[in-house]
Amino acid sequence: MPGLIKIAFFDAKPYDIDSFGKASKDFDFKITYFKGHLTLETAPLIQGFQVVCVFVNDVVDRDVIDILERNGVALIALRAAGYNNIDLKAAFKRIPVVRVPAYSPYAVAEHAVALMLVLNRKVHRAYYRTRDNNFTLNGLLGFDMHGKTAGVIGTGKIGKVTINILKGFGVKVLAYDILPDKEHQKNAGFEYIDLDTLYRESDIISLHCPLTKESYHLINETSIAKMRPGIMIINTGRGMLIDSKALIEGLKTGKVGFAGLDVYEEESDYFYEDFSNKVITDDVLARLLSFNNVMVTAHQGFFTQEALQSIASTTLENIRDFFIKQKLPNEICHKCGT
Ligand code: NAI
């Protein structure tokens, strides 16, 4: 390896510093942690670093990549699975981009199901009620998950685990994927169907596909109109899979009965930051937070001990692989995005 590798680590939180601190003991790397995001304004800070390590809300567009290349950055190490924030075309043949394709599909799938259960059984409201010595049940009525139908959009690693958990509840699972996995369908006992049928027949819809040109605003006014009244929509995928304004309209009319959102279209301005002493100026986010049948979590699906450990070790292995010129198994292909 060419001497001490210097890594500029953006959007560093205490838990990142902890997990990467532990994992980096086995590597000859010097990691400098920056609290802020990588943006056009912060990119010029990158002087003398061979690697930038970024997360989901860092900006890695063409302009930023130009600056990184000028400043001698040799590798972009994304410490996440979803890479929609990276302009892969701009990076092509200039700076390789590696990611952590799988760390714990269980973490995200279990969080999706947690959102379903919290919303259904109104645990978020019961928590406050009993703390106020109010032991009544009015307004907390839920439904049995058993026997309901869930539509899972995207049956990759996370979608598959979600399906398995839901099958354990006795839920009937319908699924849609642009590349169906027929083998898994046979083994797990669910049915692939077209999107319109999924919208029409599901009581719960859970999104587990990546954000692409095709999936942008997949859930919009038209698709919501096709859904069952009172539909529960769960999004642990990416915020832009849902047109938030259409979702709000659906919630106002009651067409959407519940929304569990771990991601939000404009989350980069808010998520992972403390706004408890500030005002939220994003009226769409503020409106979503005002519904008692909406549960917003701040992109925490991945946030388990196991996932953090795996993210740290895989990211550092990706960097080591690059510098010892091994094959880069986790490089994102600029065309296919795998
Ligand atoms: P994966 O790559 O294993 O599976 C994605 C599946 O979606 C594939 O089967 C693919 O064929 C399918 N797909 C692609 N475009 C589609 C479309 N337009 N409609 C329907 N299906 C489509 O990915 P994995 O690991 O299951 O992750 C899924 C997504 O979850 C990621 O792309 C990421 O955006 C999100 N994620 C969220 C996290 C969180 O903390 N909330 C953490 C990790 C991932």
Side-chain angles (χ1 to χ4, degrees), residues 34-221:
F34 295 100
K35 277 189 189 163
H37 285 153
L38 176 62
T39 62
L40 197 52
E41 287 69 41
T42 58
L45 287 173
I46 305 305
Q47 307 274 349
F49 292 95
Q50 295 99 317
V51 182
V52 292
C53 183
V54 294
F55 197 46
V56 292
N57 291 325
D58 290 304
V59 179
V60 194
D61 60 13
R62 185 171 289 278
D63 293 340
V64 168
I65 288 168
D66 288 346
I67 299 175
L68 298 184
E69 190 187 35
R70 268 202 304 277
N71 290 356
V73 169
L75 181 71
I76 297 168
L78 172 65
R79 52 181 197 278
Y83 45 82
N84 50 283
N85 57 326
I86 314 252
D87 186 338
L88 293 176
K89 276 202 189 113
F92 182 52
K93 288 199 173 157
R94 296 167 71 198
I95 309 181
V97 184
V98 285
R99 65 168 178 148
V100 185
Y103 35 90
S104 169
Y106 309 103
V108 186
E110 288 169 13
H111 191 72
V113 177
L115 290 173
M116 290 176 203
L117 294 175
V118 163
L119 286 166
N120 169 19
R121 306 306 299 268
K122 301 170 178 69
V123 179
H124 55 311
R125 298 177 58 199
Y127 172 78
Y128 283 111
R129 209 177 271 197
T130 54
R131 286 176 73 91
D132 195 29
N133 299 342
N134 177 351
F135 303 104
T136 64
L137 297 182
N138 301 329
L140 302 185
L141 190 65
F143 57 80
D144 284 4
M145 295 281 282
H146 181 93
K148 293 296 178 295
T149 301
V152 173
I153 301 181
T155 57
K157 293 174 283 297
I158 297 168
K160 283 189 176 81
V161 176
T162 307
I163 291 172
N164 291 344
I165 298 172
L166 291 172
K167 294 291 294 180
F169 280 108
V171 167
K172 177 183 172 189
V173 178
L174 304 174
Y176 171 77
D177 195 299
I178 51 168
L179 295 171
D181 182 343
K182 292 283 163 74
E183 194 56 34
H184 187 68
Q185 173 184 22
K186 242 191 301 169
N187 299 336
F190 66 93
E191 206 186 327
Y192 277 114
I193 38 128
D194 60 276
L195 266 184
D196 278 359
T197 312
L198 183 146
Y199 293 145
R200 200 173 53 242
E201 296 190 2
S202 300
D203 301 296
I204 301 166
I205 292 176
S206 197
L207 304 177
H208 299 290
C209 59
L211 174 65
T212 59
K213 254 189 261 153
E214 293 71 37
S215 65
Y216 174 80
H217 281 187
L218 184 71
I219 304 301
N220 54 36
E221 192 186 343

